Amino acid sequence: MKVRIRRELLEYLLQLARNAYPNEFAGFLREKDGIFEEVLIAPNPHAGPRSIFFDTWMLPYDESIKGTVHSHPSPAPWPSEGDLEFFSKFGGVHLIIAWPFTEDSVRAYSSDGVELPIEVVD
């Protein structure tokens, strides 16, 4: 499986990560025709440098949400145990954007933590 994401969305996510630094940010990815095109920012987040918490009950019912994204304000793009637990509850695809928040520091994972290739679509 390859993760396909619009360049415009990827650039926006990188900017969100930079703006949130030194804290994490989180969001939910909307997919259309097999390509991630939009992000829904996590509602009412409580963000810190090592974690972010939000009430998932505040999310709208939205069948186009097929993945999640969050930042790591460190150069480690690998999922933590907490990330893997979260991934297992939401399924789909999960992006982690690590510091220094460049295209090269973005990783995609399946719900069981297996790294997936990313294709940026113009």
Side-chain angles (χ1 to χ4, degrees):
M1 173 183 188
K2 184 183 288 188
V3 176
R4 300 179 75 211
I5 185 170
R6 290 265 180 234
R7 179 168 304 283
E8 183 178 357
L9 175 58
L10 180 58
E11 290 171 359
Y12 181 60
L13 295 173
L14 293 170
Q15 191 59 51
L16 288 172
R18 290 180 197 115
N19 291 347
Y21 184 81
N23 296 323
E24 291 191 8
F25 94 94
F28 295 85
L29 298 170
R30 288 184 169 138
E31 182 183 66
K32 182 178 179 187
D33 300 325
I35 300 172
F36 288 107
E37 296 193 348
E38 295 180 342
V39 63
L40 174 65
I41 305 302
N44 299 318
H46 301 282
R50 296 184 54 105
S51 63
I52 186 165
F53 299 97
F54 51 88
D55 187 352
T56 56
W57 289 101
M58 305 260 320
L59 290 171
Y61 176 74
D62 186 339
E63 290 186 7
S64 68
I65 294 175
K66 303 294 183 189
T68 69
V69 59
H70 75 279
S71 63
H72 281 183
S74 74
W78 307 282
S80 66
E81 286 185 34
D83 291 339
L84 291 172
E85 183 178 331
F86 178 74
F87 292 177
S88 71
K89 293 179 181 167
F90 276 90
V93 172
H94 309 277
L95 298 183
I96 295 177
I97 304 173
W99 181 89
F101 315 121
T102 63
E103 194 171 316
D104 291 334
S105 64
V106 179
R107 299 290 185 279
Y109 298 94
S110 64
S111 59
D112 57 357
V114 174
E115 189 170 350
L116 303 170
I118 299 173
E119 177 185 352
V120 180
V121 179
D122 287 321

